[in-house]
Amino acid sequence: MCLMMLFAVLFTRCDCNKPKPPVNDTTRHAVTTTIKAPEFDADTAFVFVKKQFDFGPRIPNTTSQTKCAAWLEKKLEAYCSDVVVQKTSIKVYDGHMVPCINLIASFNPKNQKRILIFAHWDTRPWSDQDAAIKNKPFDGADDGGSGVGILLEMARQFQMKLPDVGVDIALFDVEDYGPPEYETKWDETDQYALGTQYWCKNPHVKDYKAYYGILLDMTGAKNAVFSWEETSRYYAADVLNNVWSIAQQEGYSNFFVKQNVNGVIDDHYYVNKMNGTPCIDIINMNSPNGKSFAPHWHTQQDNMNVIDRNTLKAVGQTLMQVVYQEKGSY
């Protein structure tokens, strides 16, 4: 997960002229079917998170990155016959190049109506939010691992029963290799989400644009709270309302709370801005003041001890219902 910013500052920094809010398609969230989604298996998702954890921190230009990428590719190919692996090199904030590996699995690839569900799979090179140990890598079980674990379990379910709509599962790399927190200035934030920015400029399918997109970031911790993040509200309020409403219908209102919180610059920001797909971010901002991320964010505490099957289930089952209720055509 990259860094947080007040929404008003976000657009002041990013654009010379503040853009007008997009016109949300009010029919996008009109659920007209009563299809019940298959059961999301939180135990399997937990195993997928643990497997990533076992590789060690998935930092670009390390053995852990190479080994985990190969495993992710193998898992996606086991569930999907249409997998694209983007391998490139990307310049990070200090000027040196690092390898970037994006993976995209497409279900119902011929269907023009598509949902993009994505997460980043890399980990930050240092725990700069830790009170004591700032220069040491951390495991990234939640920040990176949890979203990927949920998406892999969804891919496994899609293999067994295809939804009507087309779905692209994207795992983006080099998301968290921005400058250390104490070096960051507001005009440097485009140095985050670099794998996502590369995909926006080089999509896996020419002229790709999804009906809408959903980002998962830090979606596995115990007592997580997912609120209405402001960047999501700005670009895709209708999608946000639909997902939260389905979550509450499924019995997960203690996780998905309809309350507004600050906007963040995350992968969804670049997909919204550069690709034009309206996207939301499901992100845990459960902090003591309700205005920042969970206490384990970018610290040594982001390990398997924070991962909770109940949270994985809440997010995974909600998204399964979102996808399976979606009509296959516009």
Side-chain angles (χ1 to χ4, degrees), residues 309-327:
R309 289 174 175 82
N310 294 319
T311 306
L312 297 174
K313 176 69 173 181
V315 177
Q317 194 63 57
T318 295
L319 291 188
M320 292 281 287
Q321 193 63 34
V322 169
V323 170
Y324 280 91
Q325 284 191 179
E326 192 69 59
K327 285 185 175 182

Side-chain angles (χ1 to χ4, degrees), residues 157-324:
Q157 294 290 340
F158 294 161
Q159 180 207 27
M160 294 185 287
K161 181 181 179 181
L162 276 174
D164 289 336
V165 70
V167 180
D168 299 290
I169 289 178
L171 310 180
F172 293 129
D173 199 3
V174 199
E175 189 265 3
D176 238 346
Y177 212 124
E181 188 273 341
Y182 53 83
E183 294 182 8
T184 301
K185 301 175 183 177
W186 293 127
D187 61 352
E188 292 177 337
T189 51
D190 283 348
Q191 296 176 41
Y192 288 87
L194 298 180
T196 300
Q197 291 187 61
Y198 175 84
W199 173 86
C200 288
K201 297 173 184 176
N202 306 274
H204 63 293
V205 174
K206 184 179 179 181
D207 298 325
Y208 177 90
K209 184 177 179 181
Y211 189 41
Y212 60 84
I214 301 172
L215 168 63
L216 308 185
D217 201 342
M218 297 190 288
T219 49
K222 184 178 181 180
N223 298 322
V225 175
F226 308 113
S227 303
W228 282 0
E229 178 268 336
E230 184 62 26
T231 309
S232 303
R233 290 182 64 235
Y234 183 88
Y235 283 105
D238 54 338
V239 180
L240 197 69
N241 184 68
N242 179 43
V243 173
W244 262 246
S245 295
I246 289 176
Q248 294 184 348
Q249 292 169 15
E250 292 293 304
Y252 301 120
S253 57
N254 56 323
F255 292 97
F256 289 80
V257 179
K258 292 184 176 182
Q259 63 182 12
N260 299 337
V261 295
N262 292 341
V264 298
I265 291 184
D266 206 348
D267 299 274
H268 71 312
Y269 170 72
Y270 294 101
V271 177
N272 274 303
K273 183 181 178 183
M274 298 173 66
N275 177 261
T277 291
C279 292
I280 66 168
D281 193 359
I282 300 177
I283 185 168
N284 179 16
M285 298 180 72
N286 184 13
S287 64
N289 61 12
K291 296 181 180 180
S292 186
F293 305 120
H296 59 271
W297 172 63
H298 290 180
T299 73
Q300 294 295 307
Q301 281 65 56
D302 187 357
N303 52 45
M304 289 303 296
N305 292 331
V306 305
I307 301 300
D308 184 75
R309 289 174 175 82
N310 294 319
T311 306
L312 297 174
K313 176 69 173 181
V315 177
Q317 194 63 57
T318 295
L319 291 188
M320 292 281 287
Q321 193 63 34
V322 169
V323 170
Y324 280 91

